Amino acid sequence: VQLQASGGGLVQPGGSLRLSCADSRRSLNRNVRGWFRQAPGKEREFVGFITFRGGRTEYADSVKGRFAISRDNAGNTVNLQMNNLRPEDTAIYYCAAGDYLSMIASRYDYWGQGTQVTVSS
């Protein structure tokens, strides 16, 4: 496994979680790390991405102002800080690696196994 997502769990509405995506083989050599999520019965949807070169970020409108993506200097870990969580944020969250600044899942080459986030009181 090259990408390993972790940090999911159960949180109350309004709470926070921090997901991490570790790249066990930096040799992936992909510039973009994306986060996607998939709720039961729904298609996988874009959450945000970050570039290792330049640190550019983009977010889905549904998470802007609440979620933030960061990377470590070594380029091995990307984090997704999720604040003010809502029940509709409940999903399996996936990290992915690719070369394109894209909101489309099929443009990413490598995927982690996903981590469950449940927002419920």
Side-chain angles (χ1 to χ4, degrees):
V1 175
Q2 293 177 319
L3 294 174
Q4 184 81 23
S6 62
L10 173 65
V11 63
Q12 292 186 343
S16 298
L17 276 177
R18 183 179 179 87
L19 305 184
S20 294
C21 178
D23 177 0
S24 62
R25 291 179 54 189
R26 187 63 182 93
S27 59
L28 279 181
N29 197 30
R30 295 293 191 271
N31 182 43
V32 182
R33 291 290 184 277
W35 284 97
F36 290 78
R37 65 187 182 186
Q38 188 165 17
K42 295 187 177 181
E43 293 187 354
R44 191 166 296 191
E45 68 170 350
F46 172 76
V47 174
F49 68 64
I50 189 167
T51 63
F52 279 112
R53 293 190 289 271
R56 174 181 170 180
T57 56
E58 293 286 346
Y59 300 95
D61 288 343
S62 59
V63 306
K64 278 181 182 177
R66 300 188 298 123
F67 291 12
I69 302 174
S70 60
R71 72 198 194 292
D72 68 359
N73 291 332
N76 292 332
T77 302
V78 172
N79 300 304
L80 175 64
Q81 178 67 41
M82 306 185 294
N83 298 323
N84 192 20
L85 283 160
R86 305 166 180 169
E88 54 264 39
D89 294 319
T90 295
I92 299 175
Y93 282 71
Y94 299 89
C95 61
D99 272 333
Y100 298 98
L101 277 63
S102 177
M103 300 180 181
I104 301 173
S106 61
R107 301 307 297 272
Y108 288 79
D109 303 311
Y110 298 95
W111 290 83
Q113 85 290 358
T115 184
Q116 176 70 47
V117 171
T118 303
V119 185
S120 176
S121 55

